[in-house]
Amino acid sequence: MDKSRFVWGLLTGAAVSATAVLLSAPKSGPEVRSQLRATSTTIKYDVNELKAHFQEMKTSLQQLITSAKEVAPDALQGMKESVDTWQRETAPIQAKIQQDLEAIQKSMDEIQQALPAKKSDKAG
């Protein structure tokens, strides 16, 4: 749904309902006209305020998008460099861990071969 259409619909509904309330109230003609003028002025002021807020939000969003376009590539490059550095620095450690795991596996195999075999036959 288009935001501006929604806001205009909301404002139109508020104006119509305010007018209906004013016309159904038990007041004299001059009082009703005076109140209608006041309500009209208030609604115009509120619409102008909303326009200003929407313009501020639009400007802020455009600035945010521009900043993100400028910052994102640098941040991505920095992350790539950090990952590359981490991989280079941890490669020797990973190789050492792999060697240790292989040595442990070899030791376990030797221990397993040195243990006497279990008897599968039960006395009985």
Side-chain angles (χ1 to χ4, degrees), residues 6-112:
F6 174 76
V7 170
W8 284 113
L10 184 66
L11 291 174
T12 302
V16 168
S17 54
T19 303
V21 166
L22 288 174
L23 293 176
S24 66
K27 295 184 180 181
S28 68
E31 288 177 337
V32 171
R33 284 190 290 275
S34 173
Q35 198 163 7
L36 279 173
R37 278 192 288 276
T39 303
S40 173
T41 303
T42 302
I43 289 174
K44 287 177 186 176
Y45 176 78
D46 290 344
V47 167
N48 288 333
E49 285 286 313
L50 277 173
K51 284 181 182 178
H53 286 299
F54 277 122
Q55 187 59 40
E56 288 175 18
M57 284 185 0
K58 182 180 175 183
T59 302
S60 295
L61 186 58
Q62 287 172 340
Q63 290 173 348
L64 179 65
I65 289 170
T66 301
S67 296
K69 286 180 180 178
E70 293 172 358
V71 172
D74 293 338
L76 287 174
Q77 184 61 33
M79 287 191 300
K80 286 179 184 177
E81 291 172 3
S82 294
V83 169
D84 290 343
T85 301
W86 177 80
Q87 286 177 336
R88 281 194 312 275
E89 291 175 354
T90 59
I93 297 168
Q94 290 175 0
K96 175 68 172 133
I97 290 172
Q98 185 64 36
Q99 289 173 350
D100 291 347
L101 287 173
E102 290 171 0
I104 290 170
Q105 184 64 43
K106 183 178 178 184
S107 296
M108 288 176 61
D109 290 343
E110 290 172 358
I111 290 171
Q112 199 171 24

